[in-house]
Amino acid sequence: MESLNSCIREKANPKQINECRIKITASEASFTQLSAILSLAGNELRLKILYLLEQEKELCPCDLSDILGMSIPAISQHLRKLKDGHIISFRKEGQTIFYTLKQEHLELLRPFFKLIDQVNLVAERA
Amino acid sequence: MESLNSCIREKANPKQINECRIKITASEASFTQLSAILSLAGNELRLKILYLLEQEKELCPCDLSDILGMSIPAISQHLRKLKDGHIISFRKEGQTIFYTLKQEHLELLRPFFKLIDQVNLVAERA
DNA sequence: TTTGTATTTAAGTATTTGCTTAAATACGTA
DNA sequence: TACGTATTTAAGCAAATACTTAAATACAAA
């Protein structure tokens, strides 16, 4: 259903619309990848996990569960998503598994952590 | 259920855990607000909408529907979420409604747009 | 007023998400 | 080996998401 709902406004600019279509198509893969990462960071609990991993270098599920007041399985399942998204990696030490942020997407994530530290996001209401 | 699942690892560091708890608690509101924005941008279609609004300054639902190949109601509902999240605003011109990015969160969003333009997100697979 | 265009809203639905509890796995020690 | 700790995985479920179609609203022009 490509353009079943064509914009038929008098003032619609077909050239503009076409150029936009081309741009979007060209970056399709980027949109998919970036939105996947943002949606991982877009969960409050996962954002906290990422923040903590940045601050503490590495943490185990048990620590995170303790800090965040969430059950171990809940934490573990979030960690799996982050791992599947290539945002974190881990090392084993005995029976403990330490998770760390991967360097890869740190450039993207760091501004978020900075914002959190500033604790000054504008709180606006309707 | 605050700390029902206390971390009882031998090597767990109670001081570290407590300091982390305090940090998280102090920034609770920031985590809530930031994760809300990221989860809005974490939807592929909405990310495209935001990107297009940045590029074109303003667009109407009809244009967006046309460019992105999605139904008008689908677009409209995404626009409402973005509006509710204070990420976009709008102006009316006759029966057409033009949406624009708000300045407010542009600083946060612009790096994403830059990444898209670079079209060089590392595509890594399992 | 009637008609048509642009948009939103509502209702219905399939899918995804994020938890819970219980069971499985991995590892270390008695 | 048996037991205990750390973690993951599985199954179940309620809530949220993102679409669909159909109806409602808003505005403008005939």
Side-chain angles (χ1 to χ4, degrees):
Chain A
M1 47 191 78
E2 271 309 302
S3 31
L4 283 186
N5 302 297
S6 251
C7 191
I8 51 178
R9 283 163 46 232
E10 264 181 40
K11 294 170 189 164
N13 181 341
K15 190 180 160 209
Q16 178 190 31
I17 294 197
N18 205 50
E19 285 175 356
C20 284
R21 276 215 199 98
I22 290 170
K23 274 186 212 163
I24 294 290
T25 307
S27 303
E28 195 60 48
S30 297
F31 282 110
T32 304
Q33 291 167 51
L34 179 56
S35 65
I37 295 172
L38 293 179
S39 105
L40 283 171
N43 172 282
E44 186 166 338
L45 189 55
R46 280 193 300 263
L47 187 60
K48 288 177 179 172
I49 291 175
L50 294 173
Y51 177 84
L52 287 168
L53 290 180
E54 217 256 335
Q55 294 259 314
E56 307 297 320
K57 303 306 173 201
E58 59 175 18
L59 286 168
C60 63
C62 186
D63 287 336
L64 286 166
S65 153
D66 215 13
I67 295 167
L68 297 168
M70 296 291 298
S71 74
I72 298 258
I75 295 290
S76 178
Q77 283 157 21
H78 281 298
L79 287 171
R80 179 161 54 151
K81 292 196 174 187
L82 294 172
K83 199 173 49 183
D84 291 348
H86 306 286
I87 294 183
I88 61 175
S89 53
F90 63 94
R91 73 176 179 90
K92 292 192 177 184
E93 186 177 309
Q95 31 190 351
T96 303
I97 300 180
F98 289 100
Y99 285 89
T100 50
L101 290 183
K102 291 180 98 165
Q103 280 302 310
E104 260 175 281
H105 299 125
L106 216 53
E107 189 185 350
L108 183 71
L109 298 176
R110 226 185 284 272
F112 307 157
F113 305 145
K114 214 178 253 177
L115 260 177
I116 300 285
D117 283 329
Q118 292 172 213
V119 192
N120 63 1
L121 262 185
V122 184
E124 80 239 311
R125 293 141 198 116
Chain B
M1 46 191 80
E2 273 308 304
S3 33
L4 284 186
N5 302 297
S6 250
C7 191
I8 51 176
R9 284 163 45 232
E10 263 181 41
K11 293 171 188 165
N13 182 341
K15 190 181 162 209
Q16 177 190 30
I17 293 196
N18 205 50
E19 285 175 356
C20 284
R21 277 214 200 98
I22 291 170
K23 275 186 212 164
I24 293 291
T25 306
S27 302
E28 195 63 45
S30 297
F31 281 110
T32 304
Q33 291 168 51
L34 179 55
S35 65
I37 296 172
L38 294 179
S39 105
L40 284 171
N43 172 282
E44 186 167 338
L45 189 55
R46 281 193 299 264
L47 186 60
K48 287 176 179 172
I49 291 176
L50 294 172
Y51 176 84
L52 286 168
L53 290 181
E54 216 256 337
Q55 294 259 315
E56 308 297 320
K57 303 306 174 202
E58 60 176 17
L59 286 168
C60 64
C62 186
D63 287 336
L64 285 167
S65 153
D66 215 12
I67 296 167
L68 298 169
M70 295 291 298
S71 75
I72 299 258
I75 295 290
S76 179
Q77 283 157 21
H78 282 298
L79 287 170
R80 179 160 54 151
K81 291 198 174 189
L82 294 172
K83 199 172 50 183
D84 290 348
H86 305 285
I87 294 184
I88 62 176
S89 52
F90 62 95
R91 71 178 181 89
K92 291 193 179 185
E93 186 177 312
Q95 32 191 351
T96 303
I97 300 181
F98 288 100
Y99 285 90
T100 50
L101 289 184
K102 291 182 98 165
Q103 281 302 311
E104 262 175 280
H105 299 125
L106 216 53
E107 190 186 350
L108 183 70
L109 297 177
R110 226 184 282 272
F112 306 157
F113 305 145
K114 212 176 255 179
L115 260 176
I116 300 287
D117 283 330
Q118 293 172 214
V119 192
N120 63 1
L121 261 185
V122 185
E124 80 237 310
R125 294 144 195 113

